[in-house]
Amino acid sequence: MEEECTVNMTVRYLTKKWTLLIILELYKGEGSTRRFSELQASLPGITQKVLSERLKELEEEGLVTKRVDATSFPVKSEYTLTESGLGIIEIVRGIKAWALRWKIENLPCGGQDCKVCVL
């Protein structure tokens, strides 16, 4: 059955708009951690609602953990990639390698690690 296909089940949440870019932005943070406001600033065009929804989905899938610091105002929410979330970075690198080989000529991108990408 198609519904039981591992790829099909995984693609359902990984291919939602912004999901892989959120994971990549978390990876770029120190300790693979970023605050909600940092994520929003690094992803032009994402709405607060969509970012919140995607982070909740990633947390439910075990790819991200959330830590809330209520001792300060405003309350700070930090998100960190789990070991499982870090594993997806290899998939992102694979997508990048495929794109550079077959679809996109981008020498600066090819010469950078995604963790330090500023493109």
Side-chain angles (χ1 to χ4, degrees), residues 42-71:
S42 66
L43 295 165
I46 195 169
T47 65
Q48 191 170 353
K49 179 184 177 194
V50 170
L51 179 57
S52 182
E53 287 173 1
R54 293 299 173 270
L55 286 167
K56 184 175 180 171
E57 291 164 359
L58 290 168
E59 191 177 5
E60 288 170 358
E61 292 295 338
L63 302 173
V64 169
T65 58
K66 178 182 179 180
R67 187 176 73 81
V68 177
D69 179 3
T71 62

Short mmCIF file of all heavy atoms in Angstrom, two decimals, residues 42-71:
data_model
loop_
_atom_site.label_atom_id
_atom_site.label_comp_id
_atom_site.label_asym_id
_atom_site.label_seq_id
_atom_site.Cartn_x
_atom_site.Cartn_y
_atom_site.Cartn_z
N SER A 42 15.78 34.97 10.01
CA SER A 42 16.64 34.33 9.01
C SER A 42 15.84 33.69 7.87
O SER A 42 16.43 33.18 6.92
CB SER A 42 17.54 33.28 9.66
OG SER A 42 16.77 32.21 10.17
N LEU A 43 14.52 33.71 7.97
CA LEU A 43 13.67 33.12 6.93
C LEU A 43 12.68 34.17 6.41
O LEU A 43 11.50 34.16 6.75
CB LEU A 43 12.90 31.92 7.51
CG LEU A 43 13.76 30.73 7.92
CD1 LEU A 43 12.97 29.77 8.80
CD2 LEU A 43 14.32 30.02 6.70
N PRO A 44 13.17 35.10 5.58
CA PRO A 44 12.29 36.15 5.06
C PRO A 44 11.07 35.55 4.35
O PRO A 44 11.21 34.63 3.56
CB PRO A 44 13.17 36.90 4.07
CG PRO A 44 14.58 36.57 4.44
CD PRO A 44 14.53 35.19 5.04
N GLY A 45 9.92 36.06 4.71
CA GLY A 45 8.70 35.60 4.07
C GLY A 45 7.89 34.62 4.89
O GLY A 45 6.72 34.40 4.61
N ILE A 46 8.50 34.00 5.89
CA ILE A 46 7.74 33.07 6.71
C ILE A 46 6.91 33.86 7.72
O ILE A 46 7.37 34.85 8.27
CB ILE A 46 8.66 32.04 7.43
CG1 ILE A 46 7.83 30.87 7.98
CG2 ILE A 46 9.49 32.70 8.51
CD1 ILE A 46 8.65 29.70 8.45
N THR A 47 5.69 33.43 7.92
CA THR A 47 4.85 34.11 8.90
C THR A 47 5.08 33.48 10.27
O THR A 47 5.53 32.34 10.38
CB THR A 47 3.35 33.99 8.55
OG1 THR A 47 2.97 32.61 8.63
CG2 THR A 47 3.06 34.56 7.17
N GLN A 48 4.76 34.24 11.29
CA GLN A 48 4.90 33.74 12.66
C GLN A 48 4.05 32.49 12.86
O GLN A 48 4.48 31.53 13.49
CB GLN A 48 4.48 34.84 13.64
CG GLN A 48 4.82 34.56 15.07
CD GLN A 48 4.60 35.77 15.96
OE1 GLN A 48 4.31 36.87 15.48
NE2 GLN A 48 4.76 35.59 17.24
N LYS A 49 2.85 32.49 12.29
CA LYS A 49 1.94 31.35 12.42
C LYS A 49 2.53 30.09 11.78
O LYS A 49 2.53 29.01 12.39
CB LYS A 49 0.59 31.68 11.77
CG LYS A 49 -0.40 30.54 11.84
CD LYS A 49 -1.69 30.88 11.11
CE LYS A 49 -2.61 29.66 11.16
NZ LYS A 49 -3.70 29.75 10.24
N VAL A 50 3.05 30.21 10.57
CA VAL A 50 3.61 29.04 9.87
C VAL A 50 4.86 28.55 10.59
O VAL A 50 5.04 27.34 10.79
CB VAL A 50 3.91 29.36 8.39
CG1 VAL A 50 4.72 28.25 7.73
CG2 VAL A 50 2.61 29.59 7.64
N LEU A 51 5.72 29.46 11.03
CA LEU A 51 6.92 29.05 11.76
C LEU A 51 6.54 28.30 13.02
O LEU A 51 7.09 27.24 13.32
CB LEU A 51 7.80 30.26 12.09
CG LEU A 51 9.06 29.97 12.88
CD1 LEU A 51 9.96 28.95 12.18
CD2 LEU A 51 9.83 31.27 13.15
N SER A 52 5.58 28.80 13.74
CA SER A 52 5.12 28.15 14.96
C SER A 52 4.55 26.76 14.65
O SER A 52 4.86 25.79 15.36
CB SER A 52 4.06 29.02 15.62
OG SER A 52 3.62 28.45 16.82
N GLU A 53 3.75 26.64 13.61
CA GLU A 53 3.17 25.35 13.22
C GLU A 53 4.26 24.35 12.84
O GLU A 53 4.23 23.19 13.27
CB GLU A 53 2.21 25.52 12.04
CG GLU A 53 0.91 26.17 12.39
CD GLU A 53 0.06 26.48 11.15
OE1 GLU A 53 0.48 26.17 10.00
OE2 GLU A 53 -1.03 27.05 11.34
N ARG A 54 5.22 24.79 12.02
CA ARG A 54 6.27 23.87 11.57
C ARG A 54 7.14 23.42 12.75
O ARG A 54 7.51 22.25 12.84
CB ARG A 54 7.14 24.52 10.50
CG ARG A 54 6.46 24.78 9.18
CD ARG A 54 5.95 23.50 8.50
NE ARG A 54 5.17 23.86 7.34
CZ ARG A 54 3.86 24.08 7.36
NH1 ARG A 54 3.16 23.96 8.46
NH2 ARG A 54 3.22 24.39 6.25
N LEU A 55 7.47 24.33 13.64
CA LEU A 55 8.29 23.96 14.80
C LEU A 55 7.55 22.95 15.67
O LEU A 55 8.14 22.00 16.17
CB LEU A 55 8.69 25.20 15.60
CG LEU A 55 9.76 26.06 14.95
CD1 LEU A 55 9.86 27.41 15.64
CD2 LEU A 55 11.11 25.35 14.95
N LYS A 56 6.25 23.15 15.84
CA LYS A 56 5.45 22.20 16.62
C LYS A 56 5.44 20.83 15.96
O LYS A 56 5.60 19.80 16.63
CB LYS A 56 4.02 22.72 16.80
CG LYS A 56 3.18 21.84 17.68
CD LYS A 56 1.82 22.43 17.95
CE LYS A 56 1.07 21.46 18.85
NZ LYS A 56 -0.15 21.98 19.35
N GLU A 57 5.29 20.80 14.63
CA GLU A 57 5.31 19.53 13.90
C GLU A 57 6.67 18.85 14.03
O GLU A 57 6.75 17.64 14.26
CB GLU A 57 4.99 19.77 12.42
CG GLU A 57 3.57 20.19 12.16
CD GLU A 57 3.33 20.79 10.79
OE1 GLU A 57 4.30 20.91 9.99
OE2 GLU A 57 2.17 21.14 10.51
N LEU A 58 7.74 19.62 13.91
CA LEU A 58 9.09 19.06 14.04
C LEU A 58 9.32 18.53 15.45
O LEU A 58 9.99 17.50 15.64
CB LEU A 58 10.14 20.11 13.67
CG LEU A 58 10.21 20.48 12.19
CD1 LEU A 58 11.05 21.72 11.98
CD2 LEU A 58 10.73 19.31 11.38
N GLU A 59 8.77 19.21 16.44
CA GLU A 59 8.88 18.75 17.82
C GLU A 59 8.11 17.43 17.99
O GLU A 59 8.61 16.49 18.61
CB GLU A 59 8.34 19.83 18.75
CG GLU A 59 8.64 19.60 20.20
CD GLU A 59 8.15 20.73 21.09
OE1 GLU A 59 7.49 21.68 20.60
OE2 GLU A 59 8.43 20.64 22.29
N GLU A 60 6.91 17.36 17.43
CA GLU A 60 6.10 16.14 17.52
C GLU A 60 6.78 14.96 16.83
O GLU A 60 6.64 13.82 17.26
CB GLU A 60 4.72 16.38 16.91
CG GLU A 60 3.83 17.26 17.76
CD GLU A 60 2.55 17.70 17.05
OE1 GLU A 60 2.35 17.35 15.86
OE2 GLU A 60 1.75 18.42 17.70
N GLU A 61 7.53 15.23 15.77
CA GLU A 61 8.24 14.17 15.04
C GLU A 61 9.56 13.80 15.72
O GLU A 61 10.26 12.89 15.26
CB GLU A 61 8.50 14.60 13.59
CG GLU A 61 7.25 14.72 12.75
CD GLU A 61 6.53 13.40 12.53
OE1 GLU A 61 7.16 12.32 12.66
OE2 GLU A 61 5.33 13.42 12.23
N GLY A 62 9.94 14.53 16.77
CA GLY A 62 11.17 14.22 17.49
C GLY A 62 12.42 14.76 16.82
O GLY A 62 13.53 14.33 17.14
N LEU A 63 12.26 15.73 15.92
CA LEU A 63 13.41 16.30 15.23
C LEU A 63 13.95 17.54 15.92
O LEU A 63 15.09 17.94 15.69
CB LEU A 63 13.03 16.65 13.78
CG LEU A 63 12.49 15.49 12.95
CD1 LEU A 63 11.98 15.98 11.61
CD2 LEU A 63 13.55 14.44 12.77
N VAL A 64 13.13 18.13 16.78
CA VAL A 64 13.46 19.38 17.46
C VAL A 64 12.99 19.29 18.90
O VAL A 64 11.95 18.69 19.18
CB VAL A 64 12.75 20.56 16.74
CG1 VAL A 64 12.82 21.84 17.54
CG2 VAL A 64 13.32 20.78 15.36
N THR A 65 13.77 19.89 19.80
CA THR A 65 13.30 20.06 21.17
C THR A 65 13.13 21.55 21.43
O THR A 65 13.83 22.38 20.85
CB THR A 65 14.29 19.47 22.21
OG1 THR A 65 15.56 20.10 22.04
CG2 THR A 65 14.43 17.97 22.06
N LYS A 66 12.19 21.85 22.30
CA LYS A 66 11.89 23.24 22.63
C LYS A 66 12.22 23.48 24.10
O LYS A 66 11.91 22.66 24.96
CB LYS A 66 10.41 23.53 22.39
CG LYS A 66 9.98 24.93 22.75
CD LYS A 66 8.48 25.09 22.51
CE LYS A 66 8.02 26.48 22.87
NZ LYS A 66 6.57 26.65 22.64
N ARG A 67 12.87 24.62 24.35
CA ARG A 67 13.15 25.03 25.73
C ARG A 67 12.61 26.44 25.90
O ARG A 67 12.88 27.32 25.08
CB ARG A 67 14.65 25.01 26.01
CG ARG A 67 15.00 25.27 27.47
CD ARG A 67 16.49 25.15 27.73
NE ARG A 67 17.24 26.27 27.19
CZ ARG A 67 17.38 27.45 27.78
NH1 ARG A 67 16.79 27.69 28.93
NH2 ARG A 67 18.11 28.40 27.22
N VAL A 68 11.83 26.63 26.94
CA VAL A 68 11.24 27.94 27.21
C VAL A 68 11.90 28.53 28.44
O VAL A 68 11.99 27.87 29.49
CB VAL A 68 9.71 27.82 27.42
CG1 VAL A 68 9.11 29.17 27.78
CG2 VAL A 68 9.05 27.24 26.19
N ASP A 69 12.38 29.76 28.31
CA ASP A 69 12.97 30.49 29.44
C ASP A 69 11.98 31.57 29.84
O ASP A 69 11.89 32.62 29.20
CB ASP A 69 14.31 31.10 29.03
CG ASP A 69 14.97 31.89 30.15
OD1 ASP A 69 14.41 31.93 31.27
OD2 ASP A 69 16.03 32.48 29.90
N ALA A 70 11.23 31.28 30.90
CA ALA A 70 10.20 32.21 31.36
C ALA A 70 10.73 33.17 32.42
O ALA A 70 9.98 33.96 32.97
CB ALA A 70 9.00 31.44 31.90
N THR A 71 12.03 33.12 32.71
CA THR A 71 12.60 33.99 33.74
C THR A 71 12.86 35.40 33.21
O THR A 71 13.18 36.29 33.98
CB THR A 71 13.93 33.42 34.28
OG1 THR A 71 14.87 33.34 33.21
CG2 THR A 71 13.72 32.03 34.90
#
